[in-house]
Amino acid sequence: MAEKKNGNLLKLKKQLKEGVLAPLYVFYGEEDYLREMYVNRVKDCVPDGGFPDFNHIKIEGRDVAFSEYDDAWESFPMMTEKKLIHIKDSGIFQLKSGKDEASTEEKKEFWTEKFKRISDDTVVIFDETSVDKRSALYKAAAKVGTVVEFTYLSEADLVTWVVKQFLNAKKKISKENAYYLITICDSGLASINNEIKKLIDFCDEEIYKTDIDRVVAKSMEVIVFELTDAIMLGNTQKAMETLADLKTVKENVFTLIYLMLSTFEKMLRVKLMNGAPQAEVASEIGVSLFVARKYINSAKGFSEDSLVWMLRRVAEIDLAIKEGRVEEWNALEQYVAECIYSCLLYTSPSPRDVEE
């Protein structure tokens, strides 16, 4: 499967280099940065002739009437050889329609006909976050055009990409520090690229770990991992210091509760997968490979019973806050203290087991 994905991307790159485009593209996947980059590269191969409203048509959303697509399909390019239709987040490659959309059969009939009738002066790009490869429309589109999935880069590829961005800006960063940078940023190239720009603007020729700690804001996911690690190790002081820092910067309590809930829920799912391969875990919980490894390692430090208890307790804490029975931060601090106690109450592996 990986070879096929790479093959499709190589095919796309060849088309762009030669300027010979397919009539239809389906770009999808969680890596928004790459999807947007390749959408723009295809656009660059279809000049708008000074009339972008006529020659670069963008249609966005799931509740678009068939008539709007018809108008785009039937229009002629103005003062240029080709027009481009960029369709974003249409959802047409899902098996089920939303409640306000046309029925699945209507959608299938409409789009099957449209795929058959893409004129030589038109290039269509479907720009989707996700697709269902079992859907008839996905299969029909794949026969007509080029389908490319943009997934999160592997850890090694991310490090290489980071080093290259700094080199392009006449700056240097070691692979070790590039790795550290990607581990404290949100997943995805867009987030990492924003932090790279800050480092380029505010740091000297070589980027050190101290520069990263000074300039880059840790993602909330990373901070919550630090908090859950403190809970796992029974380090009450570290857990409360983390909460105090978050309180100082006025972080939203409900955001933190949701992130802790999400983190513990993912850990429980990982634990129930009982040693499944890292790639399978990443796919199941919807994260990149190296983030999946964090969940796998952290889950080892919690018993199944403690994770179940913490998930149930979140709902009670949330309700108590909303009913005004307890102040927000007091409730969160109490919850974290109870989580530490639950780890002691329920049998769980020692820190040495976690490292192994």
Side-chain angles (χ1 to χ4, degrees), residues 106-160:
E106 286 180 295
K107 187 170 68 174
K108 179 180 176 182
E109 183 178 347
F110 177 84
W111 284 110
T112 300
E113 183 61 26
K114 280 284 173 282
F115 293 162
K116 292 177 181 176
R117 296 180 53 247
I118 302 176
S119 63
D120 293 339
D121 62 13
T122 301
V123 175
V124 181
I125 306 174
F126 282 94
D127 180 5
E128 309 285 333
T129 302
S130 63
V131 301
D132 193 320
K133 297 177 183 179
R134 299 169 299 173
S135 73
L137 288 179
Y138 174 86
K139 294 173 182 177
K143 289 181 179 179
V144 174
T146 301
V147 176
V148 184
E149 180 179 9
F150 296 100
T151 58
Y152 289 132
L153 297 185
S154 69
E155 193 174 287
D157 287 342
L158 264 179
V159 168
T160 300

Side-chain angles (χ1 to χ4, degrees), residues 30-32 34 150-154 158 187-189 286-289:
E30 67 264 11
E31 186 47 86
D32 299 338
L34 288 178
F150 296 100
T151 58
Y152 289 132
L153 297 185
S154 69
L158 264 179
S187 296
L189 294 179
V287 299
S288 63
L289 279 172

Side-chain angles (χ1 to χ4, degrees), residues 26 64 137 255 326:
V26 179
V64 177
L137 288 179
T255 299
V326 62

